[in-house]
Amino acid sequence: MSALEAGLTAAHAEVKAEIARTDTKTSLLLAFIGAVLAGVWTAARDVRLPVTASVAGRLGVLLLVVAAGLLLRAVRPRISGAAVAGFPLWATLTADEILARLAHDERGQDIVNLSRIAVAKYRTLRRAVDLVCAGGMLLITAAAFTIGGAA
């Protein structure tokens, strides 16, 4: 195997692994958000909160819901529109067209396409993490106002 072939194979595997990592991180964050929202619902549903705690808590919950929406967007399959690579492209081809394409090494373009997908997923994941942090701080603030208001 030439150095170019080895490099293409390694880069292709790396990009596919990064996409898998974003999906794993997204799943964990969605589970975390679900647990936090369930905990907030359980803790706050029968409690009369001070106005400041209520406002901070509602904003925190809103940010967590928006973060969950971003995370769902990050894992939503992108299989419609112009299929440029992988199985979405293969689904539009005949068996002979697939064999003709596979006769040429198109890993370079596939790496570009997959890298763009991975970067978009990471950007969305980063935005969601920022919102989770901000929402968490607002929920902590709401708890502090509630504890301070109860004293």
Side-chain angles (χ1 to χ4, degrees):
M1 180 182 289
S2 73
L4 175 61
E5 286 182 5
L8 284 170
T9 299
H12 195 258
E14 178 185 353
V15 172
K16 290 178 103 177
E18 288 301 325
I19 289 173
R21 280 187 201 99
T22 62
D23 290 345
T24 300
K25 290 175 183 182
T26 298
S27 297
L28 291 170
L29 276 170
L30 280 168
F32 172 76
I33 290 170
V36 169
L37 290 175
V40 167
W41 175 261
T42 302
R45 74 174 168 202
D46 296 328
V47 177
R48 178 103 170 114
L49 298 174
V51 174
T52 51
S54 179
V55 170
R58 288 172 192 262
L59 286 173
V61 167
L62 176 65
L63 290 180
L64 291 179
V65 170
V66 171
L70 282 173
L71 293 169
L72 290 172
R73 182 175 174 224
V75 294
R76 184 173 185 266
R78 291 168 178 87
I79 56 174
S80 63
V84 292
F87 75 90
L89 173 62
W90 299 339
T92 67
L93 303 175
T94 66
D96 289 336
E97 289 171 328
I98 290 172
L99 292 174
R101 282 189 169 258
L102 292 177
H104 304 286
D105 191 348
E106 295 181 357
R107 286 178 292 178
Q109 186 59 49
D110 198 37
I111 291 166
V112 168
N113 295 334
L114 291 173
S115 294
R116 289 178 180 154
I117 291 169
V119 167
K121 284 178 173 275
Y122 269 111
R123 281 188 182 127
T124 303
L125 182 61
R126 187 168 65 189
R127 286 184 192 109
V129 168
D130 292 344
L131 289 174
V132 168
C133 291
M137 290 304 298
L138 284 167
L139 291 175
I140 290 168
T141 301
F145 280 126
T146 302
I147 294 168

